[in-house]
Amino acid sequence: MTCVSVYPYQIGLDNEEAIESGAFWFYRKLGFRPGRPELARITEREEQKMAATPEYRTPARTLRRLATGHMFLELPGTERGVWDRFRVRHIGFAVQRRMAGRWAGDADKMRAGSVASVSRAVALRADAWTGHAGKALEELAPMLALVPDLDRWSVDQKRALARIIHAKAGSTEVDYLRLLRRHRKLRAAIVRLGSRRP
């Protein structure tokens, strides 16, 4: 892991207990920072007020505003800001749009079409993937089908992707996560997909 994200609920979004406890400042003291520029500016202003007046306390209204976005802690090896706009739901919305536009909202057709599309792009024989590996391919294919240049990846990158899919079907996700972390092309594609607003 090279980046840790704190979900807004943890710092006070729809969570008055976190507002009362000043959870935002707990994470801030650990080195977390807001991912949205306007929240970073509010944080800076609040820190200036605290520096000038040690007894100053951030009002609950301001803490609620600060709690509207994720906070991030980048560890060594992560470029600052890469994950700021990433949301898993952005990928989900993109899959839904594709399903509605291309398969008239039919989830079964979308899954089968995505498996066929990814299999062609990566030169996988989808019919050879059975059991857990076939299920892993079916689960990952709707997202992978959104990668625009998948068919132009190198042979090594495609083979590494196949290993990731097989590892996803394993009894634990340790190998899957290890291989995913090493596949820079795939990780970059996932970050791009998850950083596009719906």
Side-chain angles (χ1 to χ4, degrees):
M1 182 185 309
T2 58
C3 181
V4 181
S5 171
V6 174
Y7 196 75
Y9 176 82
Q10 292 174 258
I11 53 175
L13 184 65
D14 299 324
N15 181 356
E16 282 304 303
E17 186 178 330
I19 296 297
E20 291 170 17
S21 69
F24 176 88
W25 293 113
F26 168 79
Y27 287 103
R28 181 67 178 149
K29 287 176 182 175
L30 292 174
F32 285 80
R33 62 171 185 78
R36 290 179 16 208
E38 70 274 19
L39 300 182
R41 287 191 292 274
I42 293 170
T43 301
E44 190 175 311
R45 284 196 300 270
E46 287 297 301
E47 288 174 334
Q48 289 169 354
K49 290 175 186 177
M50 288 179 208
T53 311
E55 63 273 12
Y56 174 82
R57 295 294 175 260
T58 302
R61 181 176 157 189
T62 303
L63 288 173
R64 287 188 195 96
R65 176 76 178 109
L66 289 169
T68 60
H70 288 71
M71 294 183 81
F72 299 92
L73 175 66
E74 285 109 349
L75 303 172
T78 295
E79 183 182 340
R80 184 180 171 95
V82 169
W83 295 95
D84 284 4
R85 293 188 346 251
F86 180 87
R87 304 290 179 272
V88 170
R89 68 184 185 159
H90 291 175
I91 298 173
F93 289 141
V95 168
Q96 288 178 342
R97 281 194 304 275
R98 190 167 193 260
M99 179 173 65
R102 190 160 183 188
W103 288 286
D106 188 315
D108 291 333
K109 288 182 180 175
M110 181 270 300
R111 277 191 291 276
S114 297
V115 167
S117 170
V118 170
S119 297
R120 276 192 308 275
V122 186
L124 298 173
R125 282 191 49 219
D127 60 342
W129 290 57
T130 58
H132 295 299
K135 183 71 173 163
L137 175 59
E138 185 179 291
E139 289 174 355
L140 291 171
M143 186 260 317
L144 293 172
L146 297 171
V147 178
D149 64 342
L150 188 60
D151 60 334
R152 295 190 300 276
W153 285 12
S154 72
V155 171
D156 286 343
Q157 289 166 337
K158 291 176 182 181
R159 285 180 183 153
L161 175 57
R163 285 193 295 275
I164 288 169
I165 296 168
H166 272 290
K168 178 72 173 162
S171 57
T172 72
E173 293 208 338
V174 173
D175 288 337
Y176 166 72
L177 295 171
R178 181 178 49 80
L179 293 170
L180 181 59
R181 197 175 107 210
R182 289 182 186 167
H183 201 305
R184 293 184 181 194
K185 187 90 168 176
L186 178 59
R187 286 189 65 201
I190 292 171
V191 170
R192 275 194 304 276
L193 290 170
S195 298
R196 292 179 187 151
R197 287 186 179 270

